[in-house]
Every structure is written in C-alpha cells, then in structure tokens.
C-alpha cells in the first residue's frame, strides 16, 4: 500500500496524539540530564502541526511533510525544532512531486531525514542523541525495503526503540546532557526516545 | 510547585506584557513572534546588537534592551532557545545599513536557531554577523562535547558591545570587540537548590539539604559535581581558584568582577560572597577596577551564585562606564 497526502496527514495527527500522551515522560527524561523542556517543546510543535493541518490541505505528500517541517522550525525552538524540522524538510525534498509514496521512496526519505539531522547537529552514532535511534531505524528500513509501508516502518520503529535504549549506557557528547559527562550515564536520551515514539506512531498509522 | 502564575503555557507572554508596561519609556514588546525592541529602533547609522535565548534568566535579555546596550532581545519559551523566525523578526525590526551583531550563548539549541536566522537575514541582504560566547570554566572544552557553555560573561559582553554600537563603531569593529571580550572573560557557577520549570512542575534536579552542585549552567541542568555544602570562605575560594587559573588571570591584571545571584540567593549572601572574592583577588595581586553585584543572569528561583571575571583594558573600562538606559542596568543618563 502506498501512502498519499491524506494518509500522511493522518499519520502526523496520530503522532501528535502519541507525543501529547508521552509529554510528561519526555519532560522527566530531560529533567534528569538537561533542562526539562523536551516534552513541552515536542507537544507544542505537534499541536501546532495539527492546527496547521486543520486550516490547510496540502495536496502532495511532500507538501504535508514540508508543512510539518516549517511548523516545527517556527514553533519549537531549542535543539528539537531545528533538528526535527530539518529531518522533515529533507524528507519532503526527497519526496519531490510524487502523488504517492511507495516503499523505496519512503526508505530514501528516511535516509535523507537522517542525513539532515546529522548535517545540522553534527552528531554521530554513540553520542547519545536522537541519531542513535535514527541510524538503526534507517538501516532496518533499508533492509526491510519492498512495498509494504507498514512493514518498513515497523522494522524502523523496532530498531529505533532498541537504539534509544542503547543511549542509557552512553556518555552524551552533544547537547546539554554532554555537560554532565560520565554523570549522564544510566539515562535514556529524551531525543532518541521521541524519535522512537514518532516512528512507532507512523508504523501504527500505516497498518 | 508554588509560583505566581496563571498557566505554564502563558508565563512568558504575560511576563513580557508586564515588562512592556513597566518600561514603556525604554522598550516595546511585539507579539507573534515575541520580541523586545528598544523604543527608538532602528537607530540610524548604528549597529544593532541583538541577543536572546530561553526565558527564565531575567533580567537577561529583555532587561538589557535600551540605549547603550541591546537593540533587541528574543525570548524563547522557558529554558528553550527562540525560533529562527523570532530572531529574524528582531533583526528586521532593528537593523539598518550599519548591520547587526547576534550574541549567542553556546548551547546547541541557541546556536542552531540563531545560525539559521542569520542565514535567513543574510538571504534578504542584511549584514548580520554572530558571535558565540562560551565563558563557563566548569565545562572541559573538547572536540567530543558541545564545548563550554555561555553564562555570566554574556551580560558583560552585551554591555560592552552595546556601548560600542552606541558610539557608532562599525560592524567590523563591534564584532572584533565581541571576540576580544569572549577571549578574556571566564565564569563559574554553583547551585544550592534546583529551579522548578513551570511546565515541568518539579525541581530540575535532586539536592540534599547538605549538598551543593558545583559548576552549574543557567538552565537548571545539573552541574559537574555534587559536593557537601561549604562555608562561604571555602566555597568562594574554590570558585575564584577555578576562574583565575583558567585564563589564567595573573598578578597586576585589571578586572571587572561580576558576582551574580542565580535568582534565589538574597543580596545579604551575595555581598558577603562578593567581599570574600574581592579579598581573595587582592591577595593574588589582581586589581578589581569595576564590579557588578546582583541578580542579572538567573535560573528562575534557583539559589546559588556565579562569579565572572573580565580582563579590562582602557577601552573596555570606558565602554563599561558608558551611559546605559535599560530596565536592569542604568547609569550615566
């Protein structure tokens, strides 16, 4: 099954609900190692995406994703705004003017999102950031490939969850948690957690 | 959590409304995106010095908007850097032919959003430069971290560059001055209690009654080390040691000593600590020529303090003494 502008919009609404549900969890994860704003910022951004989708009807998948990108960049702030905004923006560029997103195009868009996040945030695997969820997610999506969107996203979400868990044992080297050094070990990175939550929401929406 | 608020989501907007009416002679506040702009902006022929960052550090930055200091401040949500379009709005509201200098504290979010804004403004033909301040000696500078944080030195940097802009220095000159200040200012902070971010509703970190956090930043993020509480003499000695040995500051250096409350520490304790710091610096032969004591860069209601040393020369002293008219710093006018 390929996805259209409508199904993508529905997936973003589902993601907004998941983020709202996990707002407090993300705040608490961030409170332990950062400045306690990640859940609030993500919730503000995705609430704004839902509002934007209520007032505009983007006609292509790329336009839907671009609307999400510009909304995140202009409403979130912090590191999450530019990083997630860039991820969505790069994905939208990759989607081009396609009327529907098939499996191979989805995988390419996920790869573009990862590359965008790494270009903007300069983080590599093992830095204890959202990249530790995204790298395995994109690899898993590439291995899954094929035309089954739900299967690709489910593989990505599974890998992202494992990748997020791996941040518990890492010493953060980027972002505010990096100032704690060794003291930040033993904590799940909030950005990796939100990445896993988003991919799971998209996978569930695709089923 | 007990705070004088209505709704965590509207804290910043309601606070800005109060700032605007309290200081209508000096600044104005624009909504959506929220920015604080000096009342007479843009000032023809003068570089616009603009800064910003998460709210919760008041009077930084909105309290430093006005003649002789900032042309505009861009407040983000509490402890969250503002978005690029908000920074761009501040640039557009204040920048003329002389250009603008953005002062950015070294936190990942601030750097990303301000960099993006500078690109947007440049794309519209505005001459915008940015400098990143990273004066916190608590953080080890290494290629594996985001680098040192920008903390108390930001206040001094905003005053000095604002004064240079006011006297009509070119953008090249103001930028060069900013880089010089960043090169010779150092800070350290300590927390006695954690702050409570309104939307989180709980203290940002755990501290026992007999514990302090040494080497804290300004966002309620924990410090580098938890240690037993110390008498003021020992605590300030440790802070002075950390700052002085970093640059290092040496015998005969003339400095500005900035003793800052993180929000919850009262002036009685702050002056006590300042007196100790002056004595310790005198013992090292470091000459305190100017000082600033008070809550100027805070972390909500957190108890604690920071010490900042800026190495002075005649030019920096003159710029520090230059007239300033803002809600939080005002002299010579």
């Amino acid at each position: 099954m390929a996805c259209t502008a409508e199904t993508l919009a529905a997936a973003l609404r589902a993601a907004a609900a998941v983020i709202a549900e996990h707002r407090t969890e993300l705040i608490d994860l961030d409170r332990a190692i950062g400045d306690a704003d990640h859940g609030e910022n993500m919730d503000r951004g995705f609430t704004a995406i839902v509002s934007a989708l209520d007032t505009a009807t983007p006609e292509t998948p790329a336009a839907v994703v671009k609307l999400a990108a510009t909304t995140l960049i202009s409403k979130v702030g912090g590191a999450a705004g530019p990083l997630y905004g860039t991820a969505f923006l790069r994905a939208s560029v990759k989607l081009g003017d396609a009327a529907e997103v098939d499996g191979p195009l989805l995988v390419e868009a996920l790869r573009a999102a990862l590359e965008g996040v790494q270009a903007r945030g300069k983080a590599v695997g093992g830095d204890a950031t959202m990249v530790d969820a995204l790298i395995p997610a994109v690899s898993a999506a590439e291995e899954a490939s094929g035309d089954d969107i739900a299967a690709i996203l489910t593989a990505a979400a599974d890998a992202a969850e494992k990748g997020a868990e791996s941040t518990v044992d890492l010493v953060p080297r980027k972002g505010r948690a990096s100032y704690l050094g060794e003291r930040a070990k033993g904590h799940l990175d909030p950005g990796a957690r939100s990445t896993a939550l988003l991919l799971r929401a998209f996978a569930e929406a695709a089923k | 959590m007990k705070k004088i608020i209505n709704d965590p989501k509207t804290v910043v907007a309601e606070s800005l409304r109060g700032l605007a009416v309290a200081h209508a002679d000096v600044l104005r506040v624009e909504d959506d995106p929220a920015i604080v702009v000096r009342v007479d902006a843009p000032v023809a022929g003068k570089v616009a010095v603009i800064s910003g960052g998460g709210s919760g550090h008041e009077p930084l930055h909105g309290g430093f908007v006005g003649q002789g200091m900032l042309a505009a401040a861009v407040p983000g949500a509490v402890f969250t850097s503002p978005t690029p379009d908000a920074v761009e709005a501040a640039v557009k509201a204040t920048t003329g032919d002389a250009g603008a200098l953005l002062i950015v504290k070294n936190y990942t979010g601030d750097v990303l959003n301000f960099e993006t804004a500078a690109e947007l403004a440049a794309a519209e033909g505005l001459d915008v430069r940015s400098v990143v301040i990273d004066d916190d000696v608590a953080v080890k500078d290494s290629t594996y971290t985001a680098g040192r944080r920008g903390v108390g030195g930001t206040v001094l940097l905003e005053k000095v560059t604002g004064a240079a802009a006011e006297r009509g220095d070119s953008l090249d000159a103001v930028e060069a001055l900013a880089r010089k200040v960043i090169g010779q200012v150092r800070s350290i902070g300590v927390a006695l209690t954690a702050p409570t971010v309104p939307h989180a509703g709980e203290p940002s970190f755990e501290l026992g009654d007999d514990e302090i956090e040494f080497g804290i930043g300004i966002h309620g993020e924990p410090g580098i080390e938890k240690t037993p509480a110390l008498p003021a003499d020992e605590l300030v000695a440790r802070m002075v040691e950390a700052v002085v040995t970093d640059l290092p500051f040496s015998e005969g250096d003339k400095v500005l000593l900035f003793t800052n409350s993180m929000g919850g520490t009262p002036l009685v304790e702050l002056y006590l600590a300042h007196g100790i710091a002056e004595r310790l610096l005198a013992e090292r032969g470091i000459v305190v020529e100017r000082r600033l004591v008070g809550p100027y860069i805070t972390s909500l209601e957190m108890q604690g303090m920071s010490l900042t040393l800026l190495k002075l020369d005649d030019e920096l002293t003159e710029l520090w003494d230059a007239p300033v008219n803002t809600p939080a710093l005002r002299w010579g006018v």
Side-chain angles (χ1 to χ4, degrees), chain A residues 9-21 46 50 88 197-198 201-202 205:
Chain A
L12 284 168
R13 290 175 186 276
V18 168
I19 291 294
E21 191 186 325
F46 276 84
V50 170
F88 281 88
L197 285 172
L198 286 177
F202 294 149

Side-chain angles (χ1 to χ4, degrees), chain A residues 53-105:
Chain A
L53 290 170
D54 285 343
T55 52
T57 313
E59 288 183 358
T60 62
V64 173
V65 177
K66 191 180 175 194
L67 181 71
T70 52
T71 305
L72 291 174
I73 290 169
S74 68
K75 295 292 179 196
V76 176
L83 291 172
Y84 276 114
T86 301
F88 281 88
L89 198 57
R90 295 290 182 94
S92 116
V93 170
K94 186 58 75 177
L95 297 179
D97 51 11
E100 293 195 338
V101 183
D102 59 13
L105 187 55

Side-chain angles (χ1 to χ4, degrees), chain B residues 203-219:
Chain B
S204 293
F205 53 90
E206 304 287 329
L207 265 189
D209 280 349
D210 52 353
E211 284 178 326
I212 59 171
E213 283 271 349
F214 196 80
I216 44 113
I218 56 167
H219 294 88

Side-chain angles (χ1 to χ4, degrees), chain A residues 23 27 31-32 34-37 40-41 44 73-79 82-83 120 173 175-176 178-180 183, chain B residues 9 79-81 83-85 106-109 112-113 144-145 147 149 199 202-204 213 219 221 223-225:
Chain A
R23 173 183 166 278
I27 287 173
R31 207 157 56 82
D35 45 14
D37 65 354
E40 181 71 13
N41 290 348
R44 184 171 63 246
I73 290 169
S74 68
K75 295 292 179 196
V76 176
L83 291 172
R120 175 103 16 230
R173 291 188 298 220
R176 236 158 249 178
S178 71
Y179 300 125
L180 292 185
R183 287 179 80 196
Chain B
K9 288 189 191 309
F79 290 175
T80 299
S81 62
T83 57
D85 54 334
N106 193 32
Y107 287 94
T108 307
L112 291 179
N113 286 286
Y144 295 111
T145 72
R149 300 177 284 215
H199 63 243
E202 288 180 63
S204 293
E213 283 271 349
H219 294 88
E221 70 269 48
I224 51 166
E225 192 189 351

